[in-house]
C-alpha cells in the first residue's frame, strides 16, 4: 500500500493536470489524520468522468428549451376502464412470464437514514407495520418470496446503499438471516459520490481537509 507521502505526490501531479491543485492548498497545516481523510475523499472522485463535464455543465450550462405547450401524459389508473382491461391483462401476463423466465430484478434505492422519522438507522430498517413492527426491508423480502411462490422464480434484489449506511444495512440483513432470502440473491452496492463545483469549475472544499461530496442517489442508479 502506498504511503501518505506517495499518495500526496501522485495527487499533486494528477490535480495539476486537471486544474484542481487548489484542493491541496491547506496540506501544510493539516494533521496526518486530516491528510489521510482528504486523500480518501479524493479517491472517491472519478476525475476522468467529472473533469470533461465541467465545461459543458458548470462553466457553460446548456440552455433549457421548454415546449410551447405542455400536455399531460396518458394516465393508467389502478383499476382499468372498459377500454383498458385487455391491455392490463396483457401487461400482467407479460410481467408474469418475464419473472418466470428470470428476466426481472428488483432495485431499491436505500441510501437514506431515518433521521426525519426519529429513527437512528437506515430507513429500510424502520419498523413500519402497526401489528408486527416489521421493517420495510422485511416487507420487500416477503414480496419477493411471494413472487417466487406465485411464479416459480425469485428475482434477484439489488440494494443501493450510501457511504453512511452501507455497513449498518448489510449488518441488519445478516442479523435477520436476510428475511428468508438466499444471501447470494441480495446484492448490495454503494451509490457514487460526485463533487460540488464552484462556478469557475473548481471542485469545492467543505473543510480544509474535506472535499464537498454529494451522493448521486437516484440519478446514479
Amino acid at each position: 500500500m502506498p504511503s501518505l507521502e506517495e499518495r500526496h505526490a501522485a495527487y499533486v501531479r494528477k490535480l495539476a493536470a486537471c486544474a484542481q491543485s487548489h484542493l491541496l492548498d491547506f496540506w501544510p497545516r493539516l494533521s496526518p489524520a486530516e491528510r489521510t481523510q482528504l486523500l480518501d475523499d479524493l479517491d472517491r472522485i472519478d476525475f476522468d468522468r467529472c473533469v470533461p463535464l465541467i465545461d459543458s455543465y458548470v462553466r457553460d450550462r446548456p440552455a433549457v428549451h421548454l415546449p410551447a405547450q405542455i400536455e399531460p401524459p396518458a394516465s393508467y389508473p389502478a383499476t382499468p376502464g372498459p377500454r383498458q382491461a385487455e391491455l392490463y391483462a396483457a401487461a400482467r401476463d407479460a410481467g408474469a412470464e418475464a419473472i418466470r423466465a428470470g428476466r426481472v430484478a428488483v432495485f431499491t434505492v436505500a441510501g437514506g437514514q431515518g433521521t426525519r422519522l426519529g429513527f437512528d438507522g437506515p430507513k429500510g430498517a424502520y419498523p413500519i407495520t402497526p401489528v408486527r413492527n416489521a421493517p420495510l426491508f422485511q416487507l420487500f423480502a416477503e414480496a419477493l418470496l411471494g413472487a417466487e411462490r406465485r411464479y416459480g422464480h425469485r428475482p434477484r434484489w439489488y440494494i443501493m446503499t450510501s457511504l453512511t449506511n452501507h455497513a449498518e444495512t448489510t449488518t441488519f440483513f445478516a442479523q435477520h438471516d436476510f428475511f428468508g432470502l438466499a444471501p447470494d440473491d441480495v446484492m448490495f452496492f454503494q451509490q457514487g459520490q460526485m463533487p460540488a463545483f464552484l462556478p469557475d469549475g473548481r471542485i469545492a472544499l467543505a473543510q480544509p481537509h474535506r472535499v464537498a461530496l454529494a451522493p448521486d442517489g437516484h440519478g446514479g442508479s
Side-chain angles (χ1 to χ4, degrees):
M1 179 176 292
S3 66
L4 190 63
E5 292 74 17
E6 290 170 333
R7 294 177 66 195
H8 173 252
Y11 269 114
V12 167
R13 296 188 295 270
K14 185 171 186 175
L15 295 177
C18 58
Q20 300 290 341
S21 295
H22 67 283
L23 294 171
L24 297 175
D25 282 352
F26 298 99
W27 185 265
R29 69 186 232 195
L30 300 180
S31 67
E34 290 172 334
R35 290 177 175 182
T36 299
Q37 205 161 37
L38 175 59
L39 296 181
D40 287 347
D41 279 357
L42 295 177
D43 284 344
R44 296 189 183 100
I45 300 175
D46 186 346
F47 285 92
D48 292 337
R49 182 183 179 191
C50 291
V51 171
L53 301 176
I54 293 174
D55 287 333
S56 300
Y57 294 98
V58 180
R59 295 193 183 103
D60 185 17
R61 296 185 180 184
V64 178
H65 300 287
L66 297 177
Q69 186 173 359
I70 299 176
E71 297 291 340
S75 62
Y76 296 91
T79 302
R83 298 182 179 180
Q84 296 171 319
E86 188 174 334
L87 175 65
Y88 278 42
R92 283 193 297 270
D93 290 343
E97 178 55 33
I99 295 174
R100 292 190 187 99
R103 299 198 307 271
V104 174
V106 175
F107 176 67
T108 302
V109 178
Q113 291 290 93
T115 308
R116 285 180 290 180
L117 301 172
F119 177 70
D120 184 18
K123 286 181 183 177
Y126 182 70
I128 196 171
T129 64
V131 178
R132 294 187 297 158
N133 283 325
L136 277 169
F137 284 138
Q138 180 177 341
L139 298 185
F140 296 157
E142 289 172 351
L144 290 174
L145 293 170
E148 182 180 27
R149 289 191 298 270
R150 185 170 184 178
Y151 302 112
H153 191 278
R154 182 170 63 244
R156 177 168 283 185
W157 189 7
Y158 292 85
I159 301 176
M160 185 170 75
T161 63
S162 67
L163 183 67
T164 57
N165 77 358
H166 182 82
E168 282 186 281
T169 302
T170 55
T171 299
F172 184 77
F173 271 80
Q175 290 173 340
H176 292 83
D177 296 321
F178 286 77
F179 303 103
L181 300 174
D184 289 344
D185 282 343
V186 184
M187 313 297 292
F188 299 98
F189 65 99
Q190 291 187 47
Q191 60 190 4
Q193 298 273 350
M194 288 286 286
F197 293 96
L198 299 173
D200 61 5
R202 290 180 300 151
I203 293 173
L205 285 170
Q207 300 177 50
H209 65 292
R210 298 307 304 265
V211 178
L213 294 171
D216 56 12
H218 292 77
S221 62

PDB file of all heavy atoms in Angstrom, residues 20-47:
ATOM      1  N   GLN A  20      -7.013  21.409 -10.730  1.00  0.00           N
ATOM      2  CA  GLN A  20      -7.684  21.307  -9.439  1.00  0.00           C
ATOM      3  C   GLN A  20      -6.689  21.297  -8.282  1.00  0.00           C
ATOM      4  O   GLN A  20      -6.975  20.781  -7.202  1.00  0.00           O
ATOM      5  CB  GLN A  20      -8.541  20.021  -9.404  1.00  0.00           C
ATOM      6  CG  GLN A  20      -9.628  19.935 -10.448  1.00  0.00           C
ATOM      7  CD  GLN A  20     -10.766  20.909 -10.215  1.00  0.00           C
ATOM      8  OE1 GLN A  20     -10.954  21.432  -9.115  1.00  0.00           O
ATOM      9  NE2 GLN A  20     -11.558  21.181 -11.259  1.00  0.00           N
ATOM     10  N   SER A  21      -5.517  21.908  -8.491  1.00  0.00           N
ATOM     11  CA  SER A  21      -4.460  21.879  -7.473  1.00  0.00           C
ATOM     12  C   SER A  21      -4.860  22.567  -6.174  1.00  0.00           C
ATOM     13  O   SER A  21      -4.271  22.293  -5.115  1.00  0.00           O
ATOM     14  CB  SER A  21      -3.192  22.535  -8.019  1.00  0.00           C
ATOM     15  OG  SER A  21      -2.655  21.799  -9.095  1.00  0.00           O
ATOM     16  N   HIS A  22      -5.863  23.433  -6.229  1.00  0.00           N
ATOM     17  CA  HIS A  22      -6.285  24.146  -5.019  1.00  0.00           C
ATOM     18  C   HIS A  22      -6.764  23.204  -3.919  1.00  0.00           C
ATOM     19  O   HIS A  22      -6.804  23.582  -2.743  1.00  0.00           O
ATOM     20  CB  HIS A  22      -7.411  25.116  -5.360  1.00  0.00           C
ATOM     21  CG  HIS A  22      -8.673  24.410  -5.773  1.00  0.00           C
ATOM     22  ND1 HIS A  22      -8.849  23.841  -7.019  1.00  0.00           N
ATOM     23  CD2 HIS A  22      -9.821  24.146  -5.084  1.00  0.00           C
ATOM     24  CE1 HIS A  22     -10.034  23.283  -7.084  1.00  0.00           C
ATOM     25  NE2 HIS A  22     -10.651  23.451  -5.923  1.00  0.00           N
ATOM     26  N   LEU A  23      -7.129  21.976  -4.285  1.00  0.00           N
ATOM     27  CA  LEU A  23      -7.611  21.021  -3.293  1.00  0.00           C
ATOM     28  C   LEU A  23      -6.539  20.664  -2.263  1.00  0.00           C
ATOM     29  O   LEU A  23      -6.854  20.165  -1.181  1.00  0.00           O
ATOM     30  CB  LEU A  23      -8.124  19.759  -3.981  1.00  0.00           C
ATOM     31  CG  LEU A  23      -9.377  19.941  -4.855  1.00  0.00           C
ATOM     32  CD1 LEU A  23      -9.670  18.692  -5.653  1.00  0.00           C
ATOM     33  CD2 LEU A  23     -10.584  20.319  -3.985  1.00  0.00           C
ATOM     34  N   LEU A  24      -5.291  20.927  -2.606  1.00  0.00           N
ATOM     35  CA  LEU A  24      -4.179  20.636  -1.691  1.00  0.00           C
ATOM     36  C   LEU A  24      -3.588  21.901  -1.077  1.00  0.00           C
ATOM     37  O   LEU A  24      -2.528  21.847  -0.443  1.00  0.00           O
ATOM     38  CB  LEU A  24      -3.088  19.854  -2.427  1.00  0.00           C
ATOM     39  CG  LEU A  24      -3.479  18.475  -2.955  1.00  0.00           C
ATOM     40  CD1 LEU A  24      -2.336  17.879  -3.772  1.00  0.00           C
ATOM     41  CD2 LEU A  24      -3.866  17.542  -1.813  1.00  0.00           C
ATOM     42  N   ASP A  25      -4.265  23.030  -1.211  1.00  0.00           N
ATOM     43  CA  ASP A  25      -3.724  24.290  -0.709  1.00  0.00           C
ATOM     44  C   ASP A  25      -3.473  24.273   0.798  1.00  0.00           C
ATOM     45  O   ASP A  25      -2.562  24.933   1.303  1.00  0.00           O
ATOM     46  CB  ASP A  25      -4.672  25.450  -1.049  1.00  0.00           C
ATOM     47  CG  ASP A  25      -4.549  25.894  -2.502  1.00  0.00           C
ATOM     48  OD1 ASP A  25      -3.636  25.416  -3.201  1.00  0.00           O
ATOM     49  OD2 ASP A  25      -5.392  26.703  -2.937  1.00  0.00           O
ATOM     50  N   PHE A  26      -4.297  23.548   1.546  1.00  0.00           N
ATOM     51  CA  PHE A  26      -4.182  23.560   3.006  1.00  0.00           C
ATOM     52  C   PHE A  26      -3.300  22.426   3.535  1.00  0.00           C
ATOM     53  O   PHE A  26      -3.209  22.241   4.750  1.00  0.00           O
ATOM     54  CB  PHE A  26      -5.583  23.460   3.635  1.00  0.00           C
ATOM     55  CG  PHE A  26      -6.483  24.618   3.296  1.00  0.00           C
ATOM     56  CD1 PHE A  26      -7.432  24.502   2.285  1.00  0.00           C
ATOM     57  CD2 PHE A  26      -6.379  25.820   3.980  1.00  0.00           C
ATOM     58  CE1 PHE A  26      -8.260  25.575   1.967  1.00  0.00           C
ATOM     59  CE2 PHE A  26      -7.202  26.894   3.674  1.00  0.00           C
ATOM     60  CZ  PHE A  26      -8.145  26.774   2.665  1.00  0.00           C
ATOM     61  N   TRP A  27      -2.699  21.655   2.636  1.00  0.00           N
ATOM     62  CA  TRP A  27      -1.936  20.471   3.038  1.00  0.00           C
ATOM     63  C   TRP A  27      -0.908  20.758   4.144  1.00  0.00           C
ATOM     64  O   TRP A  27      -0.830  19.986   5.115  1.00  0.00           O
ATOM     65  CB  TRP A  27      -1.246  19.865   1.811  1.00  0.00           C
ATOM     66  CG  TRP A  27      -0.541  18.576   2.081  1.00  0.00           C
ATOM     67  CD1 TRP A  27       0.779  18.394   2.387  1.00  0.00           C
ATOM     68  CD2 TRP A  27      -1.130  17.273   2.076  1.00  0.00           C
ATOM     69  NE1 TRP A  27       1.055  17.065   2.565  1.00  0.00           N
ATOM     70  CE2 TRP A  27      -0.104  16.357   2.379  1.00  0.00           C
ATOM     71  CE3 TRP A  27      -2.419  16.804   1.846  1.00  0.00           C
ATOM     72  CZ2 TRP A  27      -0.318  14.985   2.457  1.00  0.00           C
ATOM     73  CZ3 TRP A  27      -2.645  15.436   1.916  1.00  0.00           C
ATOM     74  CH2 TRP A  27      -1.602  14.534   2.222  1.00  0.00           C
ATOM     75  N   PRO A  28      -0.104  21.820   4.060  1.00  0.00           N
ATOM     76  CA  PRO A  28       0.935  22.026   5.073  1.00  0.00           C
ATOM     77  C   PRO A  28       0.411  22.149   6.499  1.00  0.00           C
ATOM     78  O   PRO A  28       1.122  21.821   7.452  1.00  0.00           O
ATOM     79  CB  PRO A  28       1.611  23.331   4.631  1.00  0.00           C
ATOM     80  CG  PRO A  28       1.357  23.407   3.166  1.00  0.00           C
ATOM     81  CD  PRO A  28      -0.025  22.832   2.995  1.00  0.00           C
ATOM     82  N   ARG A  29      -0.827  22.607   6.668  1.00  0.00           N
ATOM     83  CA  ARG A  29      -1.337  22.832   8.025  1.00  0.00           C
ATOM     84  C   ARG A  29      -2.234  21.699   8.523  1.00  0.00           C
ATOM     85  O   ARG A  29      -2.765  21.765   9.625  1.00  0.00           O
ATOM     86  CB  ARG A  29      -2.094  24.153   8.093  1.00  0.00           C
ATOM     87  CG  ARG A  29      -3.392  24.174   7.340  1.00  0.00           C
ATOM     88  CD  ARG A  29      -4.003  25.558   7.343  1.00  0.00           C
ATOM     89  NE  ARG A  29      -5.381  25.556   7.798  1.00  0.00           N
ATOM     90  CZ  ARG A  29      -6.218  26.566   7.636  1.00  0.00           C
ATOM     91  NH1 ARG A  29      -5.796  27.673   7.053  1.00  0.00           N
ATOM     92  NH2 ARG A  29      -7.452  26.498   8.101  1.00  0.00           N
ATOM     93  N   LEU A  30      -2.400  20.651   7.731  1.00  0.00           N
ATOM     94  CA  LEU A  30      -3.261  19.529   8.121  1.00  0.00           C
ATOM     95  C   LEU A  30      -2.494  18.529   8.979  1.00  0.00           C
ATOM     96  O   LEU A  30      -1.292  18.314   8.798  1.00  0.00           O
ATOM     97  CB  LEU A  30      -3.828  18.823   6.891  1.00  0.00           C
ATOM     98  CG  LEU A  30      -4.680  19.650   5.933  1.00  0.00           C
ATOM     99  CD1 LEU A  30      -5.154  18.776   4.773  1.00  0.00           C
ATOM    100  CD2 LEU A  30      -5.869  20.280   6.654  1.00  0.00           C
ATOM    101  N   SER A  31      -3.218  17.893   9.896  1.00  0.00           N
ATOM    102  CA  SER A  31      -2.638  16.813  10.688  1.00  0.00           C
ATOM    103  C   SER A  31      -2.560  15.554   9.830  1.00  0.00           C
ATOM    104  O   SER A  31      -3.219  15.463   8.773  1.00  0.00           O
ATOM    105  CB  SER A  31      -3.508  16.544  11.914  1.00  0.00           C
ATOM    106  OG  SER A  31      -4.769  16.000  11.516  1.00  0.00           O
ATOM    107  N   PRO A  32      -1.775  14.548  10.245  1.00  0.00           N
ATOM    108  CA  PRO A  32      -1.722  13.301   9.473  1.00  0.00           C
ATOM    109  C   PRO A  32      -3.099  12.676   9.258  1.00  0.00           C
ATOM    110  O   PRO A  32      -3.396  12.170   8.171  1.00  0.00           O
ATOM    111  CB  PRO A  32      -0.821  12.406  10.319  1.00  0.00           C
ATOM    112  CG  PRO A  32       0.084  13.364  11.027  1.00  0.00           C
ATOM    113  CD  PRO A  32      -0.787  14.556  11.334  1.00  0.00           C
ATOM    114  N   ALA A  33      -3.965  12.721  10.284  1.00  0.00           N
ATOM    115  CA  ALA A  33      -5.311  12.142  10.144  1.00  0.00           C
ATOM    116  C   ALA A  33      -6.132  12.922   9.130  1.00  0.00           C
ATOM    117  O   ALA A  33      -6.866  12.340   8.315  1.00  0.00           O
ATOM    118  CB  ALA A  33      -6.024  12.125  11.492  1.00  0.00           C
ATOM    119  N   GLU A  34      -6.013  14.256   9.158  1.00  0.00           N
ATOM    120  CA  GLU A  34      -6.757  15.083   8.210  1.00  0.00           C
ATOM    121  C   GLU A  34      -6.231  14.888   6.793  1.00  0.00           C
ATOM    122  O   GLU A  34      -7.009  14.886   5.827  1.00  0.00           O
ATOM    123  CB  GLU A  34      -6.655  16.549   8.617  1.00  0.00           C
ATOM    124  CG  GLU A  34      -7.434  16.884   9.890  1.00  0.00           C
ATOM    125  CD  GLU A  34      -7.168  18.291  10.379  1.00  0.00           C
ATOM    126  OE1 GLU A  34      -6.083  18.843  10.094  1.00  0.00           O
ATOM    127  OE2 GLU A  34      -8.049  18.855  11.062  1.00  0.00           O
ATOM    128  N   ARG A  35      -4.921  14.738   6.648  1.00  0.00           N
ATOM    129  CA  ARG A  35      -4.359  14.482   5.324  1.00  0.00           C
ATOM    130  C   ARG A  35      -4.886  13.171   4.748  1.00  0.00           C
ATOM    131  O   ARG A  35      -5.232  13.098   3.570  1.00  0.00           O
ATOM    132  CB  ARG A  35      -2.829  14.448   5.410  1.00  0.00           C
ATOM    133  CG  ARG A  35      -2.207  15.804   5.673  1.00  0.00           C
ATOM    134  CD  ARG A  35      -0.696  15.717   5.834  1.00  0.00           C
ATOM    135  NE  ARG A  35      -0.102  17.045   5.965  1.00  0.00           N
ATOM    136  CZ  ARG A  35       1.200  17.278   6.088  1.00  0.00           C
ATOM    137  NH1 ARG A  35       2.050  16.259   6.102  1.00  0.00           N
ATOM    138  NH2 ARG A  35       1.645  18.519   6.193  1.00  0.00           N
ATOM    139  N   THR A  36      -4.957  12.165   5.587  1.00  0.00           N
ATOM    140  CA  THR A  36      -5.497  10.873   5.137  1.00  0.00           C
ATOM    141  C   THR A  36      -6.950  11.023   4.710  1.00  0.00           C
ATOM    142  O   THR A  36      -7.387  10.474   3.686  1.00  0.00           O
ATOM    143  CB  THR A  36      -5.385   9.830   6.260  1.00  0.00           C
ATOM    144  OG1 THR A  36      -4.005   9.641   6.593  1.00  0.00           O
ATOM    145  CG2 THR A  36      -5.984   8.497   5.828  1.00  0.00           C
ATOM    146  N   GLN A  37      -7.735  11.772   5.484  1.00  0.00           N
ATOM    147  CA  GLN A  37      -9.153  11.967   5.166  1.00  0.00           C
ATOM    148  C   GLN A  37      -9.320  12.699   3.836  1.00  0.00           C
ATOM    149  O   GLN A  37     -10.192  12.349   3.022  1.00  0.00           O
ATOM    150  CB  GLN A  37      -9.826  12.749   6.291  1.00  0.00           C
ATOM    151  CG  GLN A  37     -11.320  12.506   6.394  1.00  0.00           C
ATOM    152  CD  GLN A  37     -11.856  12.905   7.754  1.00  0.00           C
ATOM    153  OE1 GLN A  37     -11.414  13.892   8.348  1.00  0.00           O
ATOM    154  NE2 GLN A  37     -12.821  12.151   8.257  1.00  0.00           N
ATOM    155  N   LEU A  38      -8.483  13.703   3.602  1.00  0.00           N
ATOM    156  CA  LEU A  38      -8.557  14.442   2.342  1.00  0.00           C
ATOM    157  C   LEU A  38      -8.237  13.533   1.160  1.00  0.00           C
ATOM    158  O   LEU A  38      -8.956  13.536   0.143  1.00  0.00           O
ATOM    159  CB  LEU A  38      -7.590  15.626   2.372  1.00  0.00           C
ATOM    160  CG  LEU A  38      -7.458  16.431   1.078  1.00  0.00           C
ATOM    161  CD1 LEU A  38      -8.805  17.006   0.655  1.00  0.00           C
ATOM    162  CD2 LEU A  38      -6.428  17.538   1.224  1.00  0.00           C
ATOM    163  N   LEU A  39      -7.189  12.746   1.266  1.00  0.00           N
ATOM    164  CA  LEU A  39      -6.831  11.843   0.168  1.00  0.00           C
ATOM    165  C   LEU A  39      -7.888  10.768  -0.038  1.00  0.00           C
ATOM    166  O   LEU A  39      -8.143  10.359  -1.172  1.00  0.00           O
ATOM    167  CB  LEU A  39      -5.459  11.215   0.440  1.00  0.00           C
ATOM    168  CG  LEU A  39      -4.276  12.184   0.481  1.00  0.00           C
ATOM    169  CD1 LEU A  39      -2.973  11.424   0.725  1.00  0.00           C
ATOM    170  CD2 LEU A  39      -4.175  13.004  -0.797  1.00  0.00           C
ATOM    171  N   ASP A  40      -8.508  10.325   1.049  1.00  0.00           N
ATOM    172  CA  ASP A  40      -9.597   9.347   0.909  1.00  0.00           C
ATOM    173  C   ASP A  40     -10.772   9.960   0.151  1.00  0.00           C
ATOM    174  O   ASP A  40     -11.420   9.294  -0.671  1.00  0.00           O
ATOM    175  CB  ASP A  40     -10.061   8.863   2.289  1.00  0.00           C
ATOM    176  CG  ASP A  40      -9.063   7.924   2.953  1.00  0.00           C
ATOM    177  OD1 ASP A  40      -8.142   7.446   2.252  1.00  0.00           O
ATOM    178  OD2 ASP A  40      -9.197   7.668   4.169  1.00  0.00           O
ATOM    179  N   ASP A  41     -11.061  11.244   0.420  1.00  0.00           N
ATOM    180  CA  ASP A  41     -12.124  11.932  -0.328  1.00  0.00           C
ATOM    181  C   ASP A  41     -11.758  12.014  -1.811  1.00  0.00           C
ATOM    182  O   ASP A  41     -12.610  11.799  -2.690  1.00  0.00           O
ATOM    183  CB  ASP A  41     -12.344  13.338   0.226  1.00  0.00           C
ATOM    184  CG  ASP A  41     -13.203  13.362   1.474  1.00  0.00           C
ATOM    185  OD1 ASP A  41     -13.683  12.290   1.887  1.00  0.00           O
ATOM    186  OD2 ASP A  41     -13.385  14.450   2.052  1.00  0.00           O
ATOM    187  N   LEU A  42     -10.513  12.341  -2.097  1.00  0.00           N
ATOM    188  CA  LEU A  42     -10.084  12.442  -3.490  1.00  0.00           C
ATOM    189  C   LEU A  42     -10.164  11.096  -4.194  1.00  0.00           C
ATOM    190  O   LEU A  42     -10.479  11.032  -5.389  1.00  0.00           O
ATOM    191  CB  LEU A  42      -8.654  12.990  -3.559  1.00  0.00           C
ATOM    192  CG  LEU A  42      -8.458  14.435  -3.066  1.00  0.00           C
ATOM    193  CD1 LEU A  42      -6.989  14.821  -3.110  1.00  0.00           C
ATOM    194  CD2 LEU A  42      -9.282  15.405  -3.899  1.00  0.00           C
ATOM    195  N   ASP A  43      -9.928  10.034  -3.441  1.00  0.00           N
ATOM    196  CA  ASP A  43     -10.020   8.690  -4.029  1.00  0.00           C
ATOM    197  C   ASP A  43     -11.435   8.384  -4.498  1.00  0.00           C
ATOM    198  O   ASP A  43     -11.633   7.540  -5.381  1.00  0.00           O
ATOM    199  CB  ASP A  43      -9.586   7.627  -3.011  1.00  0.00           C
ATOM    200  CG  ASP A  43      -8.074   7.571  -2.819  1.00  0.00           C
ATOM    201  OD1 ASP A  43      -7.344   8.125  -3.663  1.00  0.00           O
ATOM    202  OD2 ASP A  43      -7.628   6.962  -1.820  1.00  0.00           O
ATOM    203  N   ARG A  44     -12.424   9.037  -3.891  1.00  0.00           N
ATOM    204  CA  ARG A  44     -13.818   8.750  -4.236  1.00  0.00           C
ATOM    205  C   ARG A  44     -14.280   9.508  -5.475  1.00  0.00           C
ATOM    206  O   ARG A  44     -15.393   9.313  -5.943  1.00  0.00           O
ATOM    207  CB  ARG A  44     -14.733   9.101  -3.053  1.00  0.00           C
ATOM    208  CG  ARG A  44     -14.475   8.259  -1.814  1.00  0.00           C
ATOM    209  CD  ARG A  44     -15.543   8.488  -0.756  1.00  0.00           C
ATOM    210  NE  ARG A  44     -15.251   7.734   0.448  1.00  0.00           N
ATOM    211  CZ  ARG A  44     -14.688   8.253   1.541  1.00  0.00           C
ATOM    212  NH1 ARG A  44     -14.409   9.553   1.576  1.00  0.00           N
ATOM    213  NH2 ARG A  44     -14.443   7.503   2.590  1.00  0.00           N
ATOM    214  N   ILE A  45     -13.446  10.371  -6.006  1.00  0.00           N
ATOM    215  CA  ILE A  45     -13.828  11.170  -7.171  1.00  0.00           C
ATOM    216  C   ILE A  45     -13.322  10.495  -8.442  1.00  0.00           C
ATOM    217  O   ILE A  45     -12.146  10.152  -8.557  1.00  0.00           O
ATOM    218  CB  ILE A  45     -13.238  12.595  -7.082  1.00  0.00           C
ATOM    219  CG1 ILE A  45     -13.752  13.306  -5.830  1.00  0.00           C
ATOM    220  CG2 ILE A  45     -13.608  13.397  -8.329  1.00  0.00           C
ATOM    221  CD1 ILE A  45     -13.134  14.667  -5.608  1.00  0.00           C
ATOM    222  N   ASP A  46     -14.198  10.302  -9.382  1.00  0.00           N
ATOM    223  CA  ASP A  46     -13.817   9.792 -10.698  1.00  0.00           C
ATOM    224  C   ASP A  46     -13.447  10.994 -11.563  1.00  0.00           C
ATOM    225  O   ASP A  46     -14.279  11.555 -12.268  1.00  0.00           O
ATOM    226  CB  ASP A  46     -14.986   9.014 -11.310  1.00  0.00           C
ATOM    227  CG  ASP A  46     -14.617   8.329 -12.618  1.00  0.00           C
ATOM    228  OD1 ASP A  46     -13.557   8.664 -13.185  1.00  0.00           O
ATOM    229  OD2 ASP A  46     -15.387   7.464 -13.067  1.00  0.00           O
ATOM    230  N   PHE A  47     -12.187  11.390 -11.497  1.00  0.00           N
ATOM    231  CA  PHE A  47     -11.751  12.598 -12.200  1.00  0.00           C
ATOM    232  C   PHE A  47     -11.896  12.453 -13.714  1.00  0.00           C
ATOM    233  O   PHE A  47     -12.243  13.419 -14.403  1.00  0.00           O
ATOM    234  CB  PHE A  47     -10.300  12.925 -11.846  1.00  0.00           C
ATOM    235  CG  PHE A  47     -10.131  13.518 -10.481  1.00  0.00           C
ATOM    236  CD1 PHE A  47      -9.874  12.704  -9.387  1.00  0.00           C
ATOM    237  CD2 PHE A  47     -10.265  14.883 -10.274  1.00  0.00           C
ATOM    238  CE1 PHE A  47      -9.727  13.249  -8.115  1.00  0.00           C
ATOM    239  CE2 PHE A  47     -10.124  15.439  -9.021  1.00  0.00           C
ATOM    240  CZ  PHE A  47      -9.853  14.612  -7.929  1.00  0.00           C
TER     241      PHE A  47
END
